[in-house]
Amino acid sequence: AKAMNALSEWCEVEVRREGRVHKMEFERGYATSPLQDLGPAPAGARGTTITFKPDPLPDFFGNLAFDYATLEDRFREIAYLCKGLAITLADEREGGKTAHFEFQGGIAE
């Protein structure tokens, strides 16, 4: 997450923890807002959502085209290896594909 934040034009992090929702925003690795308490989280909600836009500077990335199938495979593998971890991949380009990966038993599944 640290490397992704540093290499992003902008990044938003929203955390649901201990019954509260908190948010913080960054640009090119630097905080642009203080930690904000957005209020109570929905009952039982917890986890972190990270939304970002890769930095278009050619020094960082030569090609900004994400391959959905590659990300889908990697996120499935990570969720499978990390028991209880939930990952949602949302591609907001052309058609808006989404995929959700969560394996409560981890590798035992």
Side-chain angles (χ1 to χ4, degrees):
K2 289 179 186 179
M4 182 275 312
N5 180 22
L7 299 175
S8 294
E9 185 174 322
W10 58 263
C11 172
E12 295 176 354
V13 179
E14 186 176 289
V15 178
R16 290 160 305 286
R17 182 177 174 169
E18 297 175 357
R20 306 291 297 173
V21 180
H22 295 86
K23 181 179 178 180
M24 196 162 182
E25 299 170 340
F26 301 85
E27 287 184 14
R28 293 193 167 92
Y30 295 98
T32 58
S33 74
L35 180 62
Q36 304 165 54
D37 185 336
L38 301 180
R46 57 183 205 156
T48 301
T49 301
I50 298 174
T51 307
F52 70 98
K53 179 180 180 186
D55 197 321
L57 293 174
D59 294 347
F60 294 141
F61 302 105
N63 179 2
L64 284 180
F66 287 96
D67 181 58
Y68 186 87
T70 299
L71 292 173
E72 186 178 34
D73 289 344
R74 296 298 179 269
F75 291 163
R76 180 182 298 106
E77 292 167 356
I78 291 167
Y80 184 68
L81 293 173
C82 299
K83 178 180 175 180
L85 175 67
I87 299 174
T88 300
L89 171 62
D91 187 346
E92 296 177 355
R93 305 171 295 182
E94 309 170 19
K97 298 183 215 174
T98 62
H100 182 79
F101 308 103
E102 183 173 9
F103 302 97
Q104 289 301 319
I107 201 162
E109 284 190 28

